[in-house]
Amino acid sequence: MSDSPTDSVRTSTGAPVLAASELCHSYGDRKVLHKLSLTVDSGERVAIVGENGAGKTTLMQICARLLTPQSGALRIDGRVGYCPQIPGLHELLTPDEHLALFSPAMGLTRGEGVAKGRELLAEFGFPVKDHGAQIRHLSGGCQQKLNLTLALLGGARLLLLDEPYQGFDHGSYMNFWDHVQRWSNQGIAVIVVTHMLADLELVDRVVSLTAVQQEEPV
Amino acid sequence: MSDAAAAAAVRRPPARRHWAEHVLLPAEMAGRELGRRRTALGLLTLLPLVFYAASRSDSDYAPVLGGIAMAFSISGAAIFCVMSSRRLDTRLVLAGYRPRELMIGRLLLLESLGALVALVFAGVIVLGSDPGDPGELLAGVFLVTLCAVPFGLAVGALVPSELESVLILIGVVGVQLTLSVSNPVAKFLPFWGAQRLLNQSAAGTGATTWPIIVAFLYAAGLFVIACWAVNRRYANVR
């Protein structure tokens, strides 16, 4: 682990999964990202930290290709799994229905997608009795587990997790980091936005989004 | 199962694309969600009937008013369908859906739902107003549905927020309601074809081909605009 974006720990010698170069983005007059460069190798675990409004979520959206940067270059090798800060789930649908809805997009049949999703949910400690409950009746932690599962369902080389454990209890939180380690061992690059200092010990590298550091090579 | 998450994460999905699954599954889920909004469904059916009942003393105009008022319900449902799904749609497109597949699914669902509402509404008018040409009346209410769905989808896809969408809906449908069918401005609005058929149904006279063609052209054009708008919104997502 490092507290500087320039001192990275590389776990792979292959081509990077993500290569962002001099990304700039503003909302109106408010500059959020300024010449941010970031390279992430396969299997690498990176934490993105920074104060509110520093551009963490904007960076994740750009990396997920949901937002076009105003300038800069971005190259991603392989499928991206994106777990947004706000899940945006349909509150009247059930977890199983969400899994079914995502399945064909992931190249899975409905049955395969639901079965695989249930396995993932079980690993995160999601109660079996809630598979058929409407989202509005689930706790925030359970909604977040489904949010995370949908990001994982189809396979990804790069996971972008924007504060993925909001609402998790302590056991689920520890379990989440065990999974991050496993994904890393499988060669999956994981970028996690976090505000929790304890998390910084669990990653290979910390990227702090501040105006000064964004201008430094990462 | 010790490591399903990691195994799922490294597995690359097979390259296969079944058109029916990509269209019908989003339609099914939108239908399930809408079906659980019982109050909204009730209002959706009641609204045109209220317009019709309120103007029933004018037996020639009541079917036109109620029929065009169906557009408030059906376009409103289409706008809601698109706007409430934006966050999840982004993820669905990122996962592999094409934006137009999501739109086609919603079109199929809402046209089916709208056809049911139209059928109920036409039955009520036939019983209540005894139109000269019930067939023309039925065609008129179906044309309202035909245009109302793509109109709502297009507005929902183009406009940034709910308030603006609702104002546009009220504006367009409201102006169509207030204008006579012979008014030149009315001919440029999406529900003119339906309005003309509903208008004619009282007397049972008048040409039907051109209003039907106009309505189909409008519906097709509006749906193309809706697809273009969502493609543009998600152009960056691959």
Side-chain angles (χ1 to χ4, degrees):
Chain A
M1 195 216 86
S2 162
D3 60 0
S4 162
T6 57
D7 302 330
S8 62
V9 176
R10 304 290 170 161
T11 55
S12 166
T13 54
V17 178
L18 180 145
S21 169
E22 302 206 329
L23 297 178
C24 294
H25 200 77
S26 305
Y27 296 107
D29 293 336
R30 195 166 71 85
K31 199 176 278 186
V32 178
L33 296 179
H34 178 61
K35 292 188 176 178
L36 176 86
S37 296
L38 174 67
T39 303
V40 180
D41 291 334
S42 62
E44 196 173 12
R45 296 163 301 169
V46 177
I48 307 280
V49 298
E51 60 200 32
N52 294 338
K56 302 182 294 296
T57 295
T58 299
L59 175 62
M60 297 295 259
Q61 288 176 337
I62 288 172
C63 291
R65 286 169 289 198
L66 303 177
L67 186 65
T68 308
Q70 281 153 351
S71 65
L74 176 72
R75 194 183 61 75
I76 293 173
D77 181 19
R79 185 189 268 275
V80 175
Y82 178 51
C83 175
Q85 191 175 15
I86 301 169
L89 305 169
H90 283 307
E91 63 173 21
L92 295 181
L93 293 185
T94 67
D96 277 355
E97 287 165 347
H98 279 87
L99 294 170
L101 181 57
F102 272 71
S103 299
M106 307 286 196
L108 303 168
T109 66
R110 183 181 189 142
E112 287 169 350
V114 173
K116 179 60 68 185
R118 284 183 166 194
E119 283 179 13
L120 291 165
L121 286 170
E123 286 193 18
F124 296 133
F126 187 94
V128 175
K129 66 178 173 54
D130 286 343
H131 284 158
Q134 292 178 11
I135 296 299
R136 61 183 171 152
H137 296 141
L138 298 181
S139 68
C142 283
Q143 290 185 29
Q144 201 60 22
K145 286 172 185 173
L146 176 62
N147 187 23
L148 189 56
T149 295
L150 294 175
L152 288 161
L153 191 61
R157 285 205 67 203
L158 170 65
L159 289 174
L160 302 169
L161 312 178
D162 194 346
E163 300 191 46
Y165 37 68
Q166 292 182 67
F168 278 18
D169 55 38
H170 182 69
S172 301
Y173 169 78
M174 297 307 294
N175 182 27
F176 164 77
W177 281 107
D178 288 344
H179 278 88
V180 170
Q181 180 62 55
R182 286 185 200 159
W183 300 329
S184 173
N185 292 341
Q186 293 280 338
I188 301 157
V190 185
I191 303 178
V192 184
V193 170
T194 182
H195 288 289
M196 299 177 73
L197 292 175
D199 295 350
L200 307 186
E201 301 295 329
L202 302 168
V203 296
D204 301 314
R205 189 154 53 112
V206 177
V207 174
S208 178
L209 290 190
T210 64
V212 175
Q213 284 179 331
Q214 282 184 34
E215 294 187 18
E216 294 177 0
V218 179
Chain B
M1 248 306 306
S2 62
D3 209 4
V10 291
R11 192 166 68 79
R12 299 302 296 269
R16 57 181 175 178
R17 176 171 283 273
H18 298 298
W19 184 88
E21 274 187 339
H22 281 243
V23 168
L24 296 181
L25 204 47
E28 179 194 330
M29 293 308 162
R32 283 175 184 243
E33 205 200 7
L34 204 55
R36 287 169 191 161
R37 295 180 188 275
R38 296 198 182 99
T39 308
L41 280 176
L43 288 172
L44 193 133
T45 313
L46 274 178
L47 184 73
L49 293 175
V50 168
F51 269 80
Y52 170 70
S55 57
R56 213 179 137 217
S57 56
D58 183 349
S59 60
D60 284 353
Y61 188 58
V64 181
L65 191 68
I68 300 297
M70 271 178 42
F72 282 126
S73 300
I74 295 166
S75 296
I79 288 171
F80 170 80
C81 239
V82 174
M83 301 200 100
S84 68
S85 302
R86 273 190 187 165
R87 280 186 192 279
L88 201 64
D89 280 2
T90 304
R91 298 185 69 181
L92 290 171
V93 173
L94 182 65
Y97 276 104
R98 290 175 181 149
R100 67 171 177 271
E101 292 170 341
L102 301 174
M103 290 306 251
I104 293 170
R106 286 178 192 134
L107 179 80
L108 294 176
L109 168 80
L110 292 164
E111 289 289 6
S112 307
L113 179 69
L116 276 177
V117 174
L119 209 55
V120 170
F121 184 66
V124 170
I125 298 178
V126 168
L127 291 174
S129 294
D130 192 22
D133 187 344
E136 216 163 16
L137 174 90
L138 195 61
V141 291
F142 276 117
L143 287 189
V144 173
T145 295
L146 180 79
C147 292
V149 175
F151 176 67
L153 294 177
V155 171
L158 280 169
V159 177
S161 71
E162 289 88 348
L163 178 61
E164 288 92 331
S165 300
V166 170
L167 290 174
I168 289 173
L169 172 65
I170 292 170
V172 171
V173 180
V175 168
Q176 187 94 64
L177 279 172
T178 57
L179 294 177
S180 126
V181 75
S182 57
N183 187 300
V185 176
K187 294 176 182 173
F188 291 98
L189 294 173
F191 303 102
W192 175 80
Q195 186 185 19
R196 182 158 162 188
L197 285 191
L198 290 167
N199 215 43
Q200 288 173 181
S201 69
T205 55
T208 55
T209 310
W210 181 238
I212 290 172
I213 290 172
V214 169
F216 270 89
L217 287 175
Y218 245 112
L222 287 165
F223 189 63
V224 168
I225 291 170
C227 289
W228 170 81
V230 290
N231 272 330
R232 204 183 67 149
R233 184 179 293 277
Y234 302 119
N236 208 36
V237 184
R238 290 287 177 270

